[in-house]
Amino acid sequence: MTRRHETAQRPKQVHLAAHFPGVNNTTVWSDPASGSHIDFSSFASLARTAERGLFDFFFLAEGLRLREHKGRIHDLDVVGRPESLTVLTALAAVTERLGLAGTVNATFNEPFELARRFAALDHLSAGRAAWNVVTTSDAFTGENFRRGGYLDRADRYTRAAEFLATARELWDSWTPDGRPRPFAHRGRHFSVEGEFTAPRSPQGHPVVIQAGDSPEGREFAASAADVIFTRHGTLEAGREFYADVKGRLAKYGRSADDLKIMPGVTFVLGDTAAEAQEKATEIRRDQVSPQNAILALEQVWGVDLSAYDPDGPLPDIDPDPDSELVQGRVKITDPFAVAAKWRALSEAKGLSIRQTVIETTARQSFIGTPDRVAADLTEFVRTDAADGFILVPHLTPGGLDDFVDRVVPLLQERGAYRTAYEGTTLRSHLGLREPVWKG
Amino acid sequence: MPSLHLAVAIDRADTHQAAPYLESALLAEHGSLDFVTLGDSFARPGPDALAVAARIAPDTARIGLVPTVTTTHTEPFHVQAAVATLDWVSHGRAGWALDVSATEAEARLFGRRRAAPREELWREAGDVADAAARLWDSWEDDAEIRDVASGRFVDRDKLHYADFAGRTFSVRGPSIVPRPPQGHPVRVVDATAPQARETAARHADVALVRAASAERAAAARAELRGLAARFGRDPRTLLVFAALDIDLGDGEHAAEPGHGGGPLPTAGGPAYRGGPVDLAELIADWHRAGAVDGFHLTPAEPRRDLERLVNGTVALLQHRGLFRTFYPGSTLREHLGLARPANRYAALTGESA
Ligand SMILES: Cc1cc2nc3c(=O)[nH]c(=O)nc-3n(C[C@H](O)[C@H](O)[C@H](O)COP(=O)(O)O)c2cc1C
């Protein structure tokens, strides 16, 4: 049998990545099994588990200013984290094959420096680097940077696209036999010239990830990204998103295989369906503490609701559309609609504030026995709702242990998942081609 | 006699792999040296120094890791976060050698501002060092409380806005990274150039001076410590190291006749050429004379000279009881005998209470 024939026979494979649960409201820090989210040992431990599970990559998010609520630093969720690229570079020492993906903002960095830092990560990890290119939508974050301010949506992505194009010129600027050649880029956002400091890296270019959902974000991903990190974690929304984005590829001369779509998802495992469901309910209660329930409400209403009882009914006052209550989080565009929806649900089901928040905010994506979860993940991928998943465990650092021990073997049995790494670079894990050198 | 400190540069001409740097760092650690340095500049081929330090951190155990990170075209907020993170991943072994990017060629790599005079750039470097220290203090050490009863993960009263406004940038804070293990990672400034001297005296824990004789080194040390005192610092918290290029040739004693006694001035600064034994003599002499607190040595031939330095010079100094044979502590500050700095914001709370 020829190799090509084998590939044609092989069902579509599931890709997996591990998200280190950083600053968010999914981490159940009150659980006694929740360890440090700062100590390097936590990162090393989760990364090693992901590598044991033959995952494509390990993923770190980024935030550049501590969130605020009512003008004060938000204190209810995990706060603070180390800087992504430095942690990932250190992880290259304690892993061998695992891809190392870091979120780094394109608005508050400069192409020469960032291209250099990612080239270093790719060289020092022998071809395992990935960059999640994000932009920022608020001036709040800008107060920590020389540039200050922010860019509006249209400019955000033109800058990000030009930033990435410039980085690629730099990554391509040395000859294949390892000699630097001068580069010069002149564009709307950047005018830079000189010589880059690093040869072409082991993957050609680090893998590029995009995570933003606006039409501009999707277009940017279709034109330039290798992976999309998306929030569309249900079967229907996933298929719609998948079709939309993959449909945009042809006009950039790209094929469906050139861009992998990986929603960020959560999971809860149990020995029986009932046990998993029970655990899931418990986790949701832990994630939405009474204080967090009021906070979630205030983020919609935009007014101080601290006098309300989390176990009582929803307030009957109107949201303040011009509220400045929330800083550093994506603003809700139509608070009246959200408030009306929440109120309707609460009244129909007789739910308290806390119960309503539990019902309406992020929930677990895959709940069930390992067998059920393996079957569901496989179905998502085979029916083009996703190419794989970025798993967001609710505990650090042990939150992936069960998944790797119990679900991965079942995926392998189904023929939906690799039984060994086939290559050494992240591009090879993802089945992505190395970019052609444009000297 | 105060203890002697030794540091060594582990730069290589243009390799982007981790292995050679790791090999050197392990050798230096074998000799119980205080720290290794990794130079950096946007203007020459070579890897990002902080990345190399992070990559070798998990594979080393005690040696201090001091990469150069420049302050001219970088974002102060990112720089302090990266250095603090190096401290986290190395369990308190991070340092930061501050430098400036003064050329027009470097400015064109960024296209954001023109080249500026060194005085101005070093003033800005001082601002960056100041802002960084404030951001490192912006989290009190015990800010993370995980108080289940009140639902609070952090005590927000122990998080502080740095609100730093410098001449060329401002930063609001707090940092995104909790206060690193050493409180403040160790700051190193090459104070040979007069423009860098004030910044070194204000902000450095270790100042390097290129001096061709014990007398000149002693004079530079006295000047730096005097300045530090004028800026309100306890001068003992500023260590001054003599920076020497070393070429240990091949022989136990001076390779060149008449060259064993001391370094010769060269275009690149004072250079020592001779054998490991004579270098040990020089180090012992200068240290005995109280001229310097330590040495920062840059091997001419990375592998050969570092090996000769550790197995020859350092072994001899250890044998004579002039240099430690093991690390009594685990952090770079402990190696250097420098206290962990108090948090300026925590101190304020204490006073007002
Ligand atoms: C799944 C997902 C993960 C994201 N992670 C980050 C992150 O770690 N850091 C960040 O600054 N922004 C993050 N973002 C924000 C987006 O990259 C983007 O800046 C924001 O959504 C605004 O862009 P848009 O208008 O295209 O949605 C994330 C977005 C999504 C959908």
Side-chain angles (χ1 to χ4, degrees):
Chain A
M1 224 198 293
T2 64
R3 183 138 180 92
R4 176 179 293 167
H5 193 153
E6 261 177 39
T7 322
Q9 291 289 305
R10 193 164 74 169
K12 193 178 165 197
Q13 297 287 289
V14 174
H15 291 278
L16 293 175
H19 187 300
F20 186 94
V23 173
N24 57 45
N25 50 9
T26 48
T27 303
V28 180
W29 55 260
S30 55
D31 191 311
S34 163
S36 172
H37 63 294
I38 300 292
D39 284 343
F40 182 64
S41 61
S42 288
F43 294 88
S45 166
L46 193 86
R48 285 194 181 109
T49 305
E51 188 162 79
R52 184 159 59 79
L54 307 172
F55 282 31
D56 289 7
F57 60 90
F58 175 93
F59 180 91
L60 287 176
E62 180 190 58
L64 296 173
R65 177 138 180 216
L66 301 187
R67 292 164 178 169
E68 288 182 7
H69 185 72
K70 296 189 216 166
R72 305 174 72 191
I73 290 162
H74 171 58
D75 61 356
L76 300 179
D77 302 328
V78 171
V79 177
R81 60 174 118 216
E83 184 265 323
S84 306
L85 273 172
T86 305
V87 170
L88 294 171
T89 314
L91 286 174
V94 299
T95 54
E96 282 172 14
R97 299 290 185 98
L98 187 68
L100 301 165
T103 302
V104 184
N105 193 295
T107 304
F108 301 110
N109 282 285
E110 297 300 318
F112 182 84
E113 190 194 3
L114 202 57
R116 190 171 183 270
R117 296 191 75 202
F118 271 106
L121 178 61
D122 212 32
H123 280 287
L124 293 167
S125 66
R128 301 190 274 139
W131 172 24
N132 178 30
V133 187
V134 297
T135 60
T136 289
S137 48
D138 57 83
F140 177 73
T141 307
E143 285 185 36
N144 280 334
F145 297 98
R146 288 181 188 267
R147 156 179 296 280
Y150 73 111
L151 297 167
D152 65 25
R153 172 168 286 165
D155 269 356
R156 253 175 15 239
Y157 281 106
T158 60
R159 179 178 161 106
E162 193 183 324
F163 194 119
L164 179 58
T166 309
R168 286 191 159 134
E169 287 169 42
L170 302 180
W171 291 329
D172 273 351
S173 71
W174 287 45
T175 62
D177 61 347
R179 274 172 300 123
R181 292 172 330 147
F183 70 84
H185 171 97
R186 286 201 197 299
R188 197 173 134 222
H189 295 275
F190 310 105
S191 272
V192 295
E193 63 177 35
E195 240 171 51
F196 194 50
T197 53
R200 202 154 193 268
S201 68
Q203 296 186 98
H205 300 170
V207 167
V208 171
I209 305 175
Q210 185 273 355
D213 204 21
S214 57
E216 292 86 349
R218 293 181 186 205
E219 209 58 39
F220 171 56
S223 70
D226 299 305
V227 175
I228 298 186
F229 176 16
T230 152
R231 286 204 178 96
H232 299 286
T234 66
L235 205 55
E236 300 69 36
R239 283 183 190 149
E240 206 174 292
F241 180 79
Y242 195 98
D244 175 79
V245 175
K246 298 252 175 173
R248 296 171 192 250
L249 289 166
K251 67 170 168 285
Y252 300 103
R254 307 179 74 204
S255 76
D257 285 343
D258 294 336
L259 179 63
K260 307 295 175 193
I261 295 177
M262 300 177 72
V265 299
T266 58
F267 59 90
V268 184
L269 303 176
D271 290 335
T272 62
E275 190 197 305
Q277 197 56 56
E278 206 173 298
K279 259 199 334 209
T281 306
E282 213 175 289
I283 292 169
R284 288 299 292 143
R285 270 190 71 78
D286 287 344
Q287 286 168 333
V288 184
S289 65
Q291 296 86 351
N292 255 318
I294 296 298
L295 175 107
L297 216 62
E298 288 179 339
Q299 285 175 342
V300 175
W301 263 259
V303 290
D304 184 342
L305 299 173
S306 54
Y308 284 79
D309 175 5
D311 295 320
L314 261 62
D316 50 13
I317 54 172
D318 275 338
D320 171 5
D322 304 317
S323 165
E324 291 288 317
L325 209 63
V326 186
Q327 296 269 35
R329 229 182 243 277
V330 179
K331 254 201 177 149
I332 290 165
T333 37
D334 187 356
F336 290 101
V338 176
K341 209 175 87 193
W342 285 22
R343 219 181 265 128
L345 180 83
S346 159
E347 276 161 24
K349 292 197 180 177
L351 302 179
S352 69
I353 288 176
R354 190 173 177 198
Q355 287 165 332
T356 306
V357 174
I358 289 175
E359 278 280 308
T360 50
T361 56
R363 59 181 58 244
Q364 294 95 346
S365 326
F366 296 93
I367 304 170
T369 61
D371 206 46
R372 175 80 256 153
V373 169
D376 288 348
L377 295 174
T378 309
E379 192 201 350
F380 265 65
V381 168
R382 296 212 173 139
T383 61
D384 284 349
D387 293 311
F389 306 91
I390 298 181
L391 300 177
V392 189
H394 74 277
L395 286 180
T396 311
L400 280 180
D401 295 356
D402 266 2
F403 187 94
V404 166
D405 292 335
R406 303 177 71 190
V407 181
V408 164
L410 297 174
L411 290 171
Q412 289 167 328
E413 266 173 38
R414 291 170 173 271
Y417 193 64
R418 66 171 67 95
T419 53
Y421 285 115
E422 284 153 29
T424 59
T425 67
L426 175 53
R427 278 187 189 278
S428 71
H429 307 338
L430 287 164
L432 294 167
R433 285 174 295 187
E434 191 178 299
V436 180
W437 183 66
K438 298 203 184 93
Chain B
M1 199 167 16
S3 42
L4 168 67
H5 300 285
L6 294 174
V8 65
I10 57 168
D11 304 289
R12 302 266 170 155
D14 192 24
T15 171
H16 293 259
Q17 310 297 307
Y21 298 102
L22 179 59
E23 186 191 38
S24 295
L26 288 173
L27 185 56
E29 185 169 79
H30 178 69
S32 309
L33 267 54
D34 290 82
F35 61 87
V36 295
T37 61
L38 284 148
D40 204 355
S41 154
F42 295 125
R44 55 117 181 88
D48 180 83
L50 187 125
V52 172
R55 171 63 181 76
I56 65 177
D59 289 332
T60 53
R62 291 299 177 97
I63 189 95
L65 302 168
V66 183
T68 295
V69 184
T70 65
T71 58
T72 306
H73 300 294
T74 46
E75 283 287 353
F77 190 83
H78 291 322
V79 170
Q80 63 82 28
V83 174
T85 301
L86 180 63
D87 208 41
W88 279 107
V89 303
S90 66
H91 304 288
R93 295 184 286 128
W96 167 22
L98 288 86
D99 203 356
V100 299
S101 309
T103 66
E104 195 60 50
E106 286 161 290
R108 278 199 296 268
L109 298 169
F110 287 79
R112 217 161 44 160
R113 53 203 276 211
R114 302 289 307 266
R118 275 180 193 274
E119 287 78 10
E120 227 171 86
L121 297 179
W122 274 109
R123 255 202 310 278
E124 182 183 57
D127 280 354
V128 175
D130 193 358
R134 286 167 194 276
L135 288 163
W136 293 332
D137 282 346
S138 67
W139 286 64
E140 292 185 35
D141 291 313
D142 51 358
E144 184 178 315
I145 51 169
R146 297 193 185 220
D147 183 42
V148 178
S150 65
R152 293 176 306 146
F153 181 80
V154 287
D155 178 352
R156 59 158 72 104
D157 294 335
K158 296 187 172 181
L159 299 177
H160 305 275
Y161 293 98
D163 277 329
F164 181 88
R167 280 155 284 220
T168 53
F169 68 92
S170 60
V171 183
R172 176 97 168 102
S175 178
I176 194 82
V177 186
R179 196 164 194 253
Q182 295 185 97
H184 298 175
V186 169
R187 282 167 298 180
V188 178
V189 173
D190 187 332
T192 308
Q195 301 95 332
R197 223 155 266 182
E198 186 179 320
T199 298
R202 277 188 198 276
H203 302 286
D205 301 293
V206 178
L208 310 181
V209 289
R210 301 191 169 271
S213 69
E215 294 70 32
R216 285 208 207 154
R221 180 167 178 269
E223 185 198 331
L224 281 161
R225 287 194 156 196
L227 265 177
R230 280 231 308 277
F231 296 136
R233 286 180 68 182
D234 174 353
R236 287 169 305 182
T237 62
L238 174 59
L239 304 179
V240 180
F241 284 20
L244 287 181
D245 291 338
I246 54 166
D247 175 352
L248 297 182
D250 41 23
E252 286 313 301
H253 291 274
E256 286 186 6
H259 207 126
L264 286 187
T266 71
Y272 172 86
R273 245 170 112 192
V277 175
D278 289 329
L279 179 59
E281 289 297 338
L282 182 150
I283 289 173
D285 285 349
W286 288 30
H287 187 246
R288 203 176 302 121
V292 288
D293 303 292
F295 288 81
H296 176 259
L297 305 167
T298 303
E301 183 67 44
R303 264 189 105 136
R304 180 199 67 192
D305 290 338
L306 182 57
E307 210 186 308
R308 287 174 166 268
L309 176 73
V310 170
N311 295 331
T313 309
V314 173
L316 197 60
L317 291 166
Q318 289 170 329
H319 181 70
R320 292 198 200 150
L322 295 173
F323 188 65
R324 70 165 92 84
T325 53
F326 64 96
Y327 292 100
S330 61
T331 70
L332 176 53
R333 281 193 172 272
E334 284 166 349
H335 305 342
L336 293 168
L338 295 171
R340 189 173 188 272
N343 188 315
R344 77 194 67 202
Y345 302 109
L348 279 180
T349 319
E351 268 165 36
S352 64

